[in-house]
Amino acid sequence: MRRSSMLRLAGLALLWGSGFLWIKLSLRGFTPVQIVLVRLTLGALVLAPIALARGMRFPTDKRIWGHLFVAALVANSIPYTLFGIGEKTVGSNVAGVINATTPLWTVLVAFLAGTDRKVSAWRGVGLALGFAGTVLIFSPWKSANEIASWGGLATLAASASYGISYVYMGKHLTNRGIPSIMLSASQLAAGAMLMLLAMPFGGLVAPHWRWDAVASLVILGVLGTGVAYVLNYRLIADEGPTIASTTNYLLPVVAVVLGALVVNEPVTVSMVAGMLIVLGGVFLVQRTASTRNPEPEPKPVAVSD
């Protein structure tokens, strides 16, 4: 891998992996709905000018826009809001670890939807390992376990929503001749419009203008939702999607380390063990997927936080 690509990979892992911490800090001053609205708006304001400067144009097909609004709902509005709700009661490190299950949900949803029914023995083992690791992370047999709560379930549902979005976008938005960066800018704009409609449900509350909450929200929107996708597309173009997908293994590690260092979140043995098992399952699942289709077209905005 080129040195520049290694730097982009490290930057991408840091930006996306730290997103869970920025959400946690943003909650000190804003509601989940407010955070998602500002985040999507800032992300669109970063990506759209870049796409337009490169000569790209917004889609004009009404059907494409219909699909973009659905994609924005399941890939941005719902999961971003659920992560905000979840992190009110669970740590940012927990959210980052649970988010690692996204590739497993994607495979499961694709199988149930009939878009990918190929299940090898190793892939089955990977799925089994992944969901066993998830159970270990939640450890529902422990009394007073914060992870096995509504907040933990909200973050798990957010990851499942990401899985749904990948399958939906793969069927309705990719391979349409529209550059991915423009699709992402359009999708983020559509998500911001959806969040405007959601403002009566938790958004019409006076925010607390704490400097740490404001700074975290700006970083989350501009860097974590805008600049990160520019880095992602460049990394895919230079090294291919297989190398770019290794960020899946780095995000939970970054989330756990930052959560412990910045906000003193506890790191339990079951969390770390479950994370390693989940990542092992993701490795097996992605290995079999990349063997069948090593160079898929980059998808619009969905993964990570």
Side-chain angles (χ1 to χ4, degrees), residues 54-141:
R54 294 180 180 179
M56 304 173 193
R57 294 294 177 264
F58 285 101
T60 56
D61 191 327
K62 293 181 180 179
R63 291 174 297 178
I64 293 294
W65 275 105
H67 291 310
L68 282 169
F69 273 98
V70 175
L73 182 66
V74 295
N76 304 113
S77 299
I78 289 177
Y80 288 3
T81 303
L82 286 175
F83 273 118
I85 293 172
E87 288 194 46
K88 284 187 170 184
T89 55
V90 301
S92 63
N93 55 359
V94 172
V97 168
I98 293 176
N99 181 70
T101 64
T102 295
L104 306 176
W105 289 112
T106 304
V107 172
L108 181 60
V109 172
F111 179 83
L112 294 176
T115 58
D116 187 356
R117 289 289 175 87
K118 296 179 181 179
V119 181
S120 65
W122 283 114
R123 204 178 201 193
V125 171
L127 284 171
L129 272 178
F131 288 111
T134 304
V135 172
L136 183 57
I137 293 168
F138 274 83
S139 299
W141 52 84

Side-chain angles (χ1 to χ4, degrees), residues 196-226:
L196 281 174
L197 297 177
M199 285 296 284
F201 305 96
L204 302 178
V205 178
H208 299 289
W209 297 101
R210 296 176 46 134
W211 72 267
D212 53 350
V214 174
S216 297
L217 185 51
V218 172
I219 293 172
L220 182 64
V222 174
L223 299 181
T225 313

